[in-house]
Amino acid sequence: MGVTNDKDGDYCNICGGVPPDKIKIKTVLVDGKATGINQLEFIVAGVRDLNLPNDAAIREELLKWASEFNYIPTKKKAAYGDALMQEYKATPK
């Protein structure tokens, strides 16, 4: 599969989407439903490196980073925040 790498990222020359080897999806429970979150390990590690002062700041940043790689419906933002915080706290430092 041909991959183009330019200033905007990596894209498949055939379909225009993200190349399969660049997708890093992990499943978490959002409102009790298994939901795939792309780049979850990267998101958790990046937010952890910020050394934010409290859970509210961490949650806000997790949602911000996650929305860069994933569609988060407005009505489910709180549920995604809960799932991301649970994953953040469960991931070893």
Side-chain angles (χ1 to χ4, degrees):
M1 179 182 307
V3 176
T4 300
N5 186 344
D6 60 21
K7 66 179 180 177
D8 292 328
D10 295 326
Y11 297 94
C12 173
N13 288 334
I14 298 166
C15 71
V18 177
D21 63 328
K22 299 293 181 186
I23 297 174
K24 309 286 185 210
I25 296 176
K26 183 173 179 186
T27 302
V28 297
L29 293 179
V30 176
D31 266 351
K33 296 180 183 176
T35 305
I37 303 289
N38 189 22
Q39 302 291 335
L40 183 59
E41 290 176 7
F42 171 76
I43 293 163
V44 169
V47 172
R48 189 174 309 283
D49 287 346
L50 297 174
N51 296 310
L52 297 169
N54 56 52
D55 283 358
I58 292 167
R59 181 187 182 102
E60 183 178 329
E61 200 66 23
L62 286 168
L63 283 165
K64 180 179 163 186
W65 283 51
S67 67
E68 293 292 323
F69 301 101
N70 304 272
Y71 169 69
I72 299 177
T74 303
K75 290 182 179 182
K76 295 287 184 178
K77 189 173 180 179
Y80 272 80
D82 293 344
L84 291 166
M85 280 300 293
Q86 183 175 357
E87 194 63 31
Y88 180 88
K89 289 181 177 187
T91 303
K93 295 179 183 181

